């Protein structure tokens, strides 16, 4: 019948043609575009466009018209006959079915079963992304999979006698981690960077000459300024600001002196920087027995770059074949720096001379037969001949993709390299990284766990040189990374002992940290210990670049022995399995499993819940901001009373603080009033929460000169802490204005839609 109708239509209607044009699409493919000729097309043709291809209708004779009429009657007759036969066949089929009731019932049952199965499949398919395990099920599964037996094998597999950054051993480990991620079907990839690392010159060893002693230390400090420095030897305790002020009060000259400092309390980079600011010509650093309980001949390694990443590509990534203007990080020291052993320091301190240190100053360590005099009378020469070498380093990544918001992810990272064996420094973190990845992957594949957001597992290289691998990755994707990475969890140094716990984190993560600690103490009270310390994140913390450079909420935590602040074997050849087993009382595998469970619970909570609040608790920043603003507020009032500062209203910054608190309250209120089953509403809320940390980065400073741009937790003259101490009034005015709008801008971003911002915010 359709053919008949088509023939009929062709006979009674005018001929009509279509135009076909081959159009390129956005995805690069070519598709046929069909355009029927119509009035619009005719208008186009008349205006000079393409022809419409519509020929004139030919004239018809009377005979033709008669034949046409007969044809039409014949067509109607044939159509009627075909319709009658078809209808009759249908009736016969229905009658036959009616005569077989069993067949009718069977067909009906089959049809009903098929419909039920299709409905169930459709419901299951629709429910997969939202099918969330309850939190108790998630934690129980994670605990079951992260066992001490698994870590016995993993720790053994990743243990290496040497693993220096960019070495064959380092790349072999990278390949092993890549193989694990590939086996787990985690879509692994490798990020390659070409970086400048500094090593001793094998032909010209570094030296320290003091009287008749000529020391040739094997340890060294990467990124020291090369050269020879002479000066009076001065002992400056840990090299903190307060320590150097003690020397000045004792009238010990620091300018052009060589400072002898004991390691600890602050980073090597900060020690050298403090000495340089006081005019010292060089810095020597040694491990004192009071702080480091090991052999006095143990060599010490570290770096003195007051920053992170490759200091010869500050602010941008060290990709290969990329042409950038040669520049250096402002954090590179301008004076030589070198480590020496405890025995070498003992020889220097025995004949240093100068005034005695006060007992109240805490300058005295535990070197035997040493009075810890302050020096300033005997000359010493320091020669540093370190050389730069270009190294190719590999960062390895694997991902477990989320089911609803896969473009938002938590990153868990661990350093892979070390100066020596690096068992606690690198082996433990790498083992936890891979075992945690395998556990979560199995939960997704076999147990039905459906994370809403993604988890990225990262193995970094060149961490010993100042988080070089991690920072280069951050710099490579600086413009967009804050829109995707909403938390970084460092797996470095998780295990230093047992019986105590300490952590450093962005205030946004305080609530998540506290909640996880309580849960773990209930399940493992003997392993967690009773002492918990939350301390500010230091610049040498591996998580610090994520927080202060990239504006990503970050956390690092450590299991450690009571009354200890650090792991004394870091940066030495004594960082091995035996030493860590001693520190953990031979519970290394059990503690590694516990640390993995702790990190895993935080990560899974962040990718499990519909809304990031309260895991990312914006209200926890309020007290931190208030304390910082109060310090500046008092400074403004003080300077105004003395007449040094005029026409500056102390309420400006306070109003910005109030705006932040109101914006934070608006987020918590909106969370309470939002239907969490509404995916779009949850996404909008989470986007607002994710803006907080990043918008606290100052947009007014250069990442080259001031890489740690965070208004509250960074380093530089832009921070509220620095503003509260400045003495330059013009600088004070400028930085106060910029900081005020930085904080106000953060509050505005937290509101969300620009049309929701009003004077109350």
């Amino acid at each position: 019948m359709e053919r008949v109708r088509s023939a009929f239509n062709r006979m009674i209607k005018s001929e009509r043609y279509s135009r076909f044009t081959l159009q390129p699409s956005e995805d690069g493919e070519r598709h046929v575009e069909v355009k029927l000729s119509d009035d619009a097309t005719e208008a186009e043709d008349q205006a000079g466009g393409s022809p419409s291809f519509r020929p004139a209708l030919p004239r018809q004779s009377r005979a033709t018209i008669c034949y046409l009429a007969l044809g039409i009657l014949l067509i109607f007759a044939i159509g009627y006959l075909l319709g009658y036969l078809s209808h009759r066949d249908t009736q016969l089929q229905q009658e036959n079915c009616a005569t077989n009731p069993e067949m009718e019932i069977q067909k009906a049952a089959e049809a009903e079963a098929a419909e039920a199965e299709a409905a169930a499949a459709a419901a299951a398919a629709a429910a997969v992304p939202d099918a969330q395990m309850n939190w108790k099920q998630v934690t129980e599964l994670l605990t079951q999979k992260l066992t001490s037996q698994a870590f016995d094998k993993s720790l053994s597999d990743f243990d290496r006698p040497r693993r220096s950054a960019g070495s064959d051993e380092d790349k072999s480990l990278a390949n092993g981690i890549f193989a694990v991620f590939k086996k787990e079907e985690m879509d692994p990839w490798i990020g390659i960077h070409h970086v400048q690392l500094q090593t001793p010159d094998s032909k010209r060893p570094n030296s320290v000459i003091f009287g008749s002693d000529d020391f040739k230390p094997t340890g060294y400090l990467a990124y020291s300024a090369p050269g020879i420095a002479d000066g009076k030897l001065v002992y400056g305790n840990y090299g903190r600001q307060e320590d150097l002020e003690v020397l000045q009060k004792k009238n010990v000259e620091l300018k052009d002196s060589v400072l002898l400092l004991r390691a600890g309390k602050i980073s090597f980079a900060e020690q050298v920087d403090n000495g340089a600011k006081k005019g010292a010509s060089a810095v020597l650093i040694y491990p004192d027995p009071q702080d480091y309980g090991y052999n006095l001949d143990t060599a010490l390694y570290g770096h003195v770059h007051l920053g992170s990443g490759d200091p010869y590509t500050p602010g941008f990534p060290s990709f290969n074949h990329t042409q950038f203007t040669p520049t250096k990080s402002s954090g590179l020291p301008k004076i030589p720096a070198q480590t020496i052993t405890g025995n070498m320091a003992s020889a220097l301190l025995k004949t240093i001379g100068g005034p005695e240190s006060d007992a109240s100053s805490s300058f005295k360590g535990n070197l035997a037969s040493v009075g810890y005099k302050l020096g300033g009378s005997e000359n010493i020469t320091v020669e540093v001949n370190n050389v730069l070498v270009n190294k190719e380093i590999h960062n390895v990544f694997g991902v477990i993709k989320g089911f609803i918001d896969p473009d938002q992810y938590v990153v868990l990272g661990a350093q892979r390299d070390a100066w020596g064996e690096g068992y606690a420094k690198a082996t433990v973190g790498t083992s936890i990284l891979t075992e945690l990845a395998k556990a979560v992957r199995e939960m997704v594949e076999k147990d039905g766990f459906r994370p809403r957001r993604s988890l990225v597992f990262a193995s970094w290289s060149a961490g010993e040189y100042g988080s070089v691998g991690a920072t280069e990755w951050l710099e490579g994707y600086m413009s967009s990374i804050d829109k995707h990475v909403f938390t970084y969890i460092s797996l470095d140094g998780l295990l230093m002992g047992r019986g105590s716990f300490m952590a450093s984190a962005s205030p946004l993560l305080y609530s998540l940290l506290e909640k996880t600690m309580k849960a773990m103490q209930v399940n493992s009270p003997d392993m967690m210990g009773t002492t918990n310390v939350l301390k500010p994140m230091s610049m040498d913390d591996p998580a610090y670049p994520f927080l202060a450079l990239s504006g990503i909420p970050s956390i690092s935590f450590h299991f450690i022995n009571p009354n200890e602040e650090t792991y004394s074997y870091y940066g030495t050849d004594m960082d091995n399995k035996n030493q860590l087993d001693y520190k953990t009382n031979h519970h290394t595998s059990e503690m590694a499993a516990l640390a993995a469970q702790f990190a895993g619970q935080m990560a899974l909570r962040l990718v499990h819940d519909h809304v990031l609040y309260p895991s990312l608790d914006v209200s926890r920043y309020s007290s931190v901001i208030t304390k910082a603003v109060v310090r500046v507020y008092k400074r403004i009032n003080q300077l105004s009373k003395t007449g040094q500062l005029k026409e500056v209203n102390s309420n400006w910054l306070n109003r910005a603080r109030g705006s932040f608190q109101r914006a934070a309250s608006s987020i918590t209120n909106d969370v309470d009033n939002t239907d969490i089953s509404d995916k779009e509403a949850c996404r909008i809320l989470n986007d607002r929460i994710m803006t907080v940390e990043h918008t606290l980065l100052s947009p007014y400073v250069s990442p080259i000169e001031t890489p740690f741009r965070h208004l509250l937790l960074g380093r530089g003259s832009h921070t509220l802490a620095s503003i509260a101490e400045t003495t330059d009034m013009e600088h004070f005015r400028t930085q106060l204005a910029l900081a005020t709008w930085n904080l106000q801008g953060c509050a505005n971003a937290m509101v969300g839609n620009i049309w929701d911002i009003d004077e109350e915010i």
Side-chain angles (χ1 to χ4, degrees):
M1 283 300 295
E2 288 299 321
R3 293 179 182 176
V4 173
R5 291 192 186 98
S6 297
F8 177 71
N9 288 334
R10 285 197 297 271
M11 293 175 67
I12 66 173
K13 289 188 177 181
S14 63
E15 296 180 73
R16 199 173 186 191
Y17 290 83
S18 300
R19 293 185 305 169
F20 295 79
T21 56
L22 199 60
Q23 299 290 342
S25 67
E26 293 182 357
D27 58 8
E29 297 183 9
R30 299 178 72 84
H31 302 283
V32 174
E33 180 179 88
V34 182
K35 293 184 180 179
L36 292 176
S37 57
D38 51 19
D39 295 338
T41 309
E42 289 177 354
E44 176 185 330
D45 299 338
Q46 294 172 3
S50 301
S52 64
F53 299 103
R54 295 182 64 182
L57 192 64
R59 295 182 179 179
Q60 307 290 342
S61 65
R62 290 184 178 182
T64 302
I65 294 173
C66 291
Y67 286 128
L68 180 60
L70 289 173
I72 292 171
L73 291 173
L74 181 61
I75 289 170
F76 274 115
I78 293 172
Y80 178 81
L81 180 61
L82 291 175
Y84 171 78
L85 293 175
S86 175
H87 180 67
R88 184 173 180 275
D89 289 343
T90 303
Q91 285 183 328
L92 290 173
Q93 290 175 5
Q94 290 175 346
E95 290 174 2
N96 291 336
C97 289
T99 59
N100 192 345
E102 293 181 0
M103 183 180 295
E104 179 78 4
I105 293 172
Q106 182 179 354
K107 287 186 176 181
E110 289 175 354
E112 185 177 351
E115 289 178 2
E117 184 178 354
V128 165
D130 287 328
Q132 294 284 331
M133 290 182 178
N134 64 54
W135 182 240
K136 184 179 180 182
Q137 291 174 312
V138 173
T139 56
E140 287 177 350
L141 272 173
L142 185 68
T143 303
Q144 291 169 11
K145 296 180 186 302
L146 294 171
T147 65
S148 60
Q149 292 78 14
F151 279 98
D152 282 335
K153 183 179 185 306
S154 183
L155 289 168
S156 176
D157 289 344
F158 289 114
D159 193 9
R160 297 287 192 281
R162 296 287 170 187
R163 56 203 308 145
S164 60
S167 66
D168 291 339
E169 294 89 349
D170 178 35
K171 292 176 182 176
S172 175
L173 279 168
N175 292 336
I177 296 166
F178 184 91
V180 172
F181 291 165
K182 186 175 182 180
K183 182 179 179 182
E184 298 298 324
E185 299 180 344
M186 294 171 59
D187 298 328
W189 72 97
I190 293 177
I192 298 176
H193 295 275
H194 295 261
V195 298
Q196 297 290 320
L197 306 180
Q198 198 184 63
T199 63
D201 189 338
S202 59
K203 297 180 180 180
R204 296 184 303 155
N206 299 341
S207 66
V208 176
I209 301 173
F210 186 63
S212 60
D213 292 321
D214 186 357
F215 301 115
K216 297 287 190 294
T218 56
Y220 80 106
L221 292 169
Y223 300 125
S224 162
I228 300 174
D230 299 290
K232 302 293 184 183
L233 181 63
V234 173
Y235 170 62
N237 202 22
Y238 295 106
R240 298 168 296 185
Q241 292 287 357
E242 57 266 34
D243 295 328
L244 302 184
E245 288 172 2
V246 169
L247 295 175
Q248 291 176 321
K249 290 177 181 178
K250 287 283 189 177
N251 296 319
V252 176
E253 182 61 50
L254 293 177
K255 184 174 175 56
D256 297 326
S257 68
V258 174
L259 269 176
L260 175 62
L261 308 175
R262 55 172 168 162
K265 307 299 182 184
I266 58 176
S267 69
F268 294 147
E270 290 171 302
Q271 289 179 309
V272 175
D273 184 62
N274 288 343
K277 287 178 178 177
K278 295 295 185 181
S281 61
V283 173
L284 297 173
I285 301 174
Y286 78 98
D288 195 278
Q290 187 178 72
D291 310 292
Y292 300 88
Y294 47 67
N295 192 295
L296 293 180
D297 286 325
T298 301
L300 193 60
Y301 299 81
H303 79 90
V304 289
H305 175 211
L306 195 67
S308 66
D310 183 349
Y312 295 92
T313 59
F316 47 86
S318 298
F319 289 132
N320 196 22
H321 307 305
T322 307
Q323 300 299 317
F324 293 111
T325 303
T327 185
K328 296 180 182 180
S329 167
S330 59
L332 280 173
K334 295 179 174 58
I335 61 174
Q338 174 65 43
T339 56
I340 60 176
T341 66
N343 277 333
M344 294 176 187
S346 179
L348 299 180
L349 287 169
K350 284 178 180 177
T351 56
I352 191 173
E356 294 278 351
S357 59
D358 295 333
S360 60
S361 65
S362 302
F363 268 46
K364 293 188 176 182
N366 280 343
L367 284 171
S369 304
V370 172
Y372 290 92
K373 291 185 178 181
L374 302 181
S377 59
E378 301 294 331
N379 287 326
I380 190 171
T381 301
V382 177
E383 181 176 354
V384 174
N385 298 310
N386 299 341
V387 294
L388 285 173
V389 293
N390 187 279
K391 289 283 187 178
E392 179 182 294
I393 61 170
H394 294 177
N395 294 328
V396 184
F397 304 89
V399 61
I400 297 174
K401 295 179 182 178
F403 285 76
I404 293 178
D405 294 317
D407 61 323
Q408 296 179 344
Y409 37 89
V410 174
V411 176
L412 299 101
Q415 172 183 325
R416 191 177 65 248
D417 67 294
W419 298 114
E421 187 173 341
Y423 193 80
K425 186 77 170 182
T427 301
V428 172
T430 301
S431 179
I432 290 174
L433 179 77
T434 54
E435 288 303 312
L436 194 51
K438 288 189 286 187
V440 177
R441 182 64 182 169
E442 186 174 327
M443 290 171 63
V444 173
E445 287 296 307
K446 297 182 179 180
D447 303 305
F449 175 54
R450 297 292 182 264
R452 300 179 64 87
R453 304 168 197 91
S454 299
L455 291 153
V456 173
F457 296 83
S459 174
W460 312 115
S461 184
E464 291 286 43
Y465 292 83
S467 301
V468 171
T471 302
E472 295 309 308
W473 181 70
L474 291 172
E475 290 175 340
Y477 306 98
M478 185 72 74
S479 61
S480 62
I481 205 166
D482 64 289
K483 299 176 180 65
H484 300 286
V485 182
F486 60 90
T487 298
Y488 178 71
I489 299 175
S490 172
L491 304 180
D492 291 323
L494 298 191
L495 203 52
M496 304 177 183
R498 66 192 298 256
S500 184
F501 179 90
M502 65 180 183
S504 301
S506 160
L508 285 175
L509 290 164
Y510 286 173
S511 295
L512 177 63
L513 179 62
E514 292 165 358
K515 187 181 297 183
T516 308
M517 285 171 53
K518 290 178 181 178
M520 296 295 290
Q521 283 174 334
V522 170
N523 297 327
S524 307
D526 56 326
M527 303 287 276
M528 282 291 296
T530 57
T531 306
N532 302 315
V533 177
L534 181 62
K535 63 177 186 177
M537 190 176 290
S538 63
M539 194 182 66
D540 57 344
D541 192 304
Y544 189 72
F546 289 83
L547 177 61
L549 185 146
S550 295
I552 297 170
S554 305
I555 186 169
S556 63
F557 64 93
H558 317 277
F559 291 95
I560 194 169
N561 290 339
N563 304 318
E564 292 186 3
E565 295 182 3
T566 187
Y567 190 67
S568 60
Y569 302 111
Y570 282 162
T572 74
D573 288 331
M574 296 185 70
D575 181 8
N576 54 44
K577 183 180 186 301
N578 291 336
Q579 297 296 344
L580 187 58
D581 282 345
Y582 173 77
K583 287 286 188 179
T584 63
N585 195 22
H586 299 279
H587 287 85
T588 300
S589 295
E590 292 89 340
M591 292 301 301
L594 181 70
Q597 291 166 20
F598 196 102
Q601 284 201 26
M602 289 193 295
L604 295 188
R605 173 64 84 175
L606 288 163
V607 300
H608 171 271
D609 292 350
H610 289 74
V611 182
L612 293 176
Y613 177 87
S615 293
L616 291 181
D617 190 348
V618 294
S619 66
R620 298 300 292 267
Y621 248 123
S622 294
S623 61
V624 177
I625 291 174
T626 297
K627 289 179 182 178
V629 168
V630 165
R631 290 184 61 194
V632 177
Y633 192 88
K634 290 180 177 178
R635 179 66 171 160
I636 293 172
N637 290 339
Q638 177 189 10
L639 294 172
S640 298
K641 288 179 180 179
T642 59
Q644 295 174 270
L645 189 66
K646 298 179 180 179
E647 298 179 355
V648 173
N649 192 332
S650 58
N651 288 327
W652 295 344
L653 183 60
N654 194 40
R655 289 172 182 169
R657 178 198 61 81
S659 295
F660 182 94
Q661 290 184 334
R662 286 188 291 275
S665 296
S666 74
I667 288 179
T668 58
N669 291 335
D670 289 347
V671 170
D672 292 337
N673 297 318
T674 296
D675 179 5
I676 62 172
S677 64
D678 186 336
K679 296 178 185 177
E680 183 178 358
C682 290
R683 176 81 182 202
I684 292 171
L685 279 171
N686 291 335
D687 286 344
R688 291 168 61 187
I689 295 169
M690 286 173 61
T691 65
V692 177
E693 201 79 75
H694 185 76
T695 50
L696 283 173
L697 297 182
S698 174
Y700 309 111
V701 295
S702 164
I704 296 176
E705 295 297 324
T706 312
F708 303 129
R709 297 179 293 143
H710 203 288
L711 180 67
L712 299 162
L713 309 174
R715 292 179 61 92
S717 59
H718 66 286
T719 64
L720 291 179
S722 177
I723 293 171
E725 297 175 355
T726 187
T727 57
D728 185 329
M729 293 303 100
E730 190 61 32
H731 178 78
F732 184 92
R733 287 172 175 271
T734 302
Q735 293 301 327
L736 177 63
L738 296 178
T740 299
W741 191 246
N742 189 175
L743 188 56
Q744 182 66 52
C746 179
N748 292 344
M750 291 165 64
V751 173
N753 294 320
I754 193 168
W755 52 83
D756 290 331
I757 300 174
D758 55 33
E759 293 183 359
E760 292 184 0
I761 295 297

